[in-house]
Amino acid sequence: MSWEIERRFLVRVEEALWYSLGNGLHLKQGYVRNGDPSVRIRVGEERGAVLTSKSGSGIRRREVEVVVPDEIAEGLFLSAEDHVIEKIRWKLGPWELDRFLGDLDGLALLEIELEDELDRIPEAPEGVQILREVTDDNRFVSGRLARMKPKKQKRLVKKAYKEVKGWKGLNSSE
């Protein structure tokens, strides 16, 4: 078991950047258990199918990961039923940029894993505008996104980008 220290941000990406990024990793995530801890199966990573358990909320969470055979991953996806999301992920320096697919199309999140909660956040990649931090906004937790009905997913994407007015920015005391 280890700690994951991660911050997530709602972003707007210049259209030209999307085209220059290449294919990225097509990730499919199924949520077998929501709540605390959550249990997720993910396929599409270079290392294979990964089963992950996370507990806690916010910046620091406990995380356990194990690579599982494809047959086990298939069974876990059946258990996840329709609690599945898909996204394309690109590694941009220390950042990971996710572009969601399906009914979450239009949602883009930028995340970074840190050594310590107090680490300074580096500049966003060129062409990516950070609109606001969503680390503590449970609406943007992947397990919760996966549980939403399609209409609610579409509404969240529209609403999220309308809400960005008034955000004070990175490294400010909010």
Side-chain angles (χ1 to χ4, degrees), residues 51-77:
L51 180 64
T52 304
S53 173
K54 291 187 183 188
S55 59
S57 62
I59 294 173
R60 178 187 281 263
R61 298 182 290 173
R62 286 195 184 277
E63 179 180 71
V64 178
E65 289 188 327
V66 62
V67 176
V68 298
D70 291 341
E71 307 80 52
I72 292 175
E74 288 173 25
L76 290 168
F77 270 106

Side-chain angles (χ1 to χ4, degrees), residues 133-149:
E133 184 163 8
V134 295
T135 303
D136 292 320
D137 189 336
N138 288 334
R139 295 176 302 169
F140 296 94
V141 172
S142 292
R144 186 158 183 187
L145 292 171
R147 284 194 320 266
M148 288 180 183
K149 298 292 182 201

Side-chain angles (χ1 to χ4, degrees), residues 3-170:
W3 289 100
E4 175 189 60
I5 301 171
E6 178 183 84
R7 291 178 68 181
R8 293 180 313 275
F9 302 89
L10 178 69
V11 295
R12 184 169 287 124
V13 179
E14 292 176 8
E15 201 63 34
L17 180 61
W18 287 129
Y19 294 109
S20 71
L21 288 174
N23 293 334
L25 292 176
H26 184 164
L27 303 176
K28 180 180 174 184
Q29 298 178 178
Y31 289 83
V32 178
R33 181 182 193 285
N34 287 294
D36 198 13
S38 67
V39 178
R40 173 192 78 202
I41 183 67
R42 176 192 281 165
V43 294
E45 291 190 25
E46 293 171 357
R47 59 185 170 159
V50 179
L51 180 64
T52 304
S53 173
K54 291 187 183 188
S55 59
S57 62
I59 294 173
R60 178 187 281 263
R61 298 182 290 173
R62 286 195 184 277
E63 179 180 71
V64 178
E65 289 188 327
V66 62
V67 176
V68 298
D70 291 341
E71 307 80 52
I72 292 175
E74 288 173 25
L76 290 168
F77 270 106
L78 289 174
S79 296
E81 298 174 342
D82 62 347
H83 298 186
V84 175
I85 58 172
E86 293 187 62
K87 60 189 177 182
I88 307 295
R89 172 171 283 175
W90 294 270
K91 182 84 171 140
L92 304 175
W95 295 96
E96 291 178 333
L97 175 62
D98 291 338
R99 184 177 190 169
F100 289 79
L101 304 173
D103 292 310
L104 290 166
D105 185 42
L107 179 61
L109 298 179
L110 188 67
E111 58 185 52
I112 188 165
E113 289 200 23
L114 305 168
E115 295 294 320
D116 185 88
E117 292 99 320
L118 300 177
D119 285 352
R120 186 155 181 82
I121 304 297
E123 291 292 319
E126 189 173 330
V128 178
Q129 177 189 8
I130 292 178
L131 301 176
R132 75 178 186 91
E133 184 163 8
V134 295
T135 303
D136 292 320
D137 189 336
N138 288 334
R139 295 176 302 169
F140 296 94
V141 172
S142 292
R144 186 158 183 187
L145 292 171
R147 284 194 320 266
M148 288 180 183
K149 298 292 182 201
K151 284 183 182 179
K152 194 167 183 180
Q153 288 177 329
K154 289 177 183 180
R155 277 195 307 262
L156 172 70
V157 174
K158 288 179 184 175
K159 186 176 179 184
Y161 286 95
K162 288 180 182 177
E163 292 176 347
V164 296
K165 295 176 187 168
W167 185 63
K168 296 177 185 172
L170 285 177

